[in-house]
Amino acid sequence: MKKLKSVLLLMGIITFALALTACGGTEDKASTDKKETAKAETKKKADSNELGDYKVEILSSEVVKDLSGKDAIAVKTKFTNNSKENISFMVAIDQQAFQNGTQLTTTVAADGGLGGSEKDVQPGGSLEVTSTYTLQDTQNKVDVEAKELISFSKNSVKKSFELK
């Protein structure tokens, strides 16, 4: 008789648990996910050039010669410091260029300058800097990508340049 009571009690508990589960409200997860994705995309579009405390706009490019006479691309970028301390582009931002799926090597322009990337920018200030990369060829496009140098964020600013 004790076994029968135990089995009935166990069955009652299971039935009660199933009833509670069935009575629970259903959340339309798909619509919630769509709303969250839409909010994230809107925020991403609004802040497309924001990289943490900095704003980066990749402006233009020009095919030039580097210090050793090789073909290179000079990429002009506007850097705005929205942090609370002075900082330079080269310390705040990691900018890379790719051609044919491979990273291009940073080089020095024929004039020997660093393009202003080493200059500190005060909070709220902006500076146009030029970064130079050795080209693999002068036919195929170059993709430029900038991201915050020290960050866990995956945000980046990208721009492609046709060389033809």
Side-chain angles (χ1 to χ4, degrees):
M1 189 73 167
K2 264 188 168 179
K3 274 190 169 182
L4 181 61
K5 285 184 180 179
S6 297
V7 169
L8 287 174
L9 181 62
L10 182 60
M11 287 178 58
I13 292 172
I14 291 172
T15 304
F16 183 72
L18 288 173
L20 284 177
T21 304
C23 291
T26 59
E27 182 180 334
D28 187 349
K29 186 173 174 146
S31 68
T32 303
D33 288 346
K34 286 179 186 175
K35 288 178 186 174
E36 289 175 3
T37 302
K39 286 180 185 176
E41 286 177 5
T42 302
K43 185 176 181 181
K44 187 175 180 182
K45 286 179 185 175
D47 301 331
S48 63
N49 292 334
E50 298 290 330
L51 299 176
D53 289 335
Y54 316 108
K55 182 175 180 180
V56 174
E57 297 173 74
I58 301 170
L59 302 173
S60 62
S61 72
E62 178 182 9
V63 175
V64 297
K65 296 289 184 188
D66 69 7
L67 197 55
S68 61
K70 294 180 183 176
D71 287 325
I73 185 169
V75 178
K76 188 177 286 190
T77 305
K78 183 177 179 183
F79 171 68
T80 303
N81 178 9
N82 293 321
S83 74
K84 296 180 180 176
E85 298 179 12
N86 297 349
I87 195 162
S88 67
F89 176 81
M90 71 182 344
V91 172
I93 303 298
D94 176 24
Q95 182 169 283
Q96 299 174 321
F98 299 86
Q99 188 177 38
N100 305 317
T102 308
Q103 182 180 355
L104 298 177
T105 305
T106 305
T107 188
V108 178
D111 66 4
L114 293 176
S117 63
E118 78 288 359
K119 293 181 181 177
D120 274 357
V121 178
Q122 291 182 320
S126 295
L127 177 68
E128 283 188 9
V129 299
T130 303
S131 303
T132 309
Y133 307 92
T134 303
L135 289 170
Q136 296 171 357
D137 60 65
T138 56
Q139 303 301 313
N140 294 307
K141 72 176 181 143
V142 174
D143 299 314
V144 180
E145 180 177 333
K147 52 189 168 186
E148 199 173 1
L149 184 62
I150 300 173
S151 174
F152 292 112
S153 173
K154 293 183 180 181
N155 292 347
S156 64
V157 176
K158 299 178 182 180
K159 189 164 186 175
S160 293
F161 295 104
E162 293 292 334
L163 302 180
K164 297 178 185 178

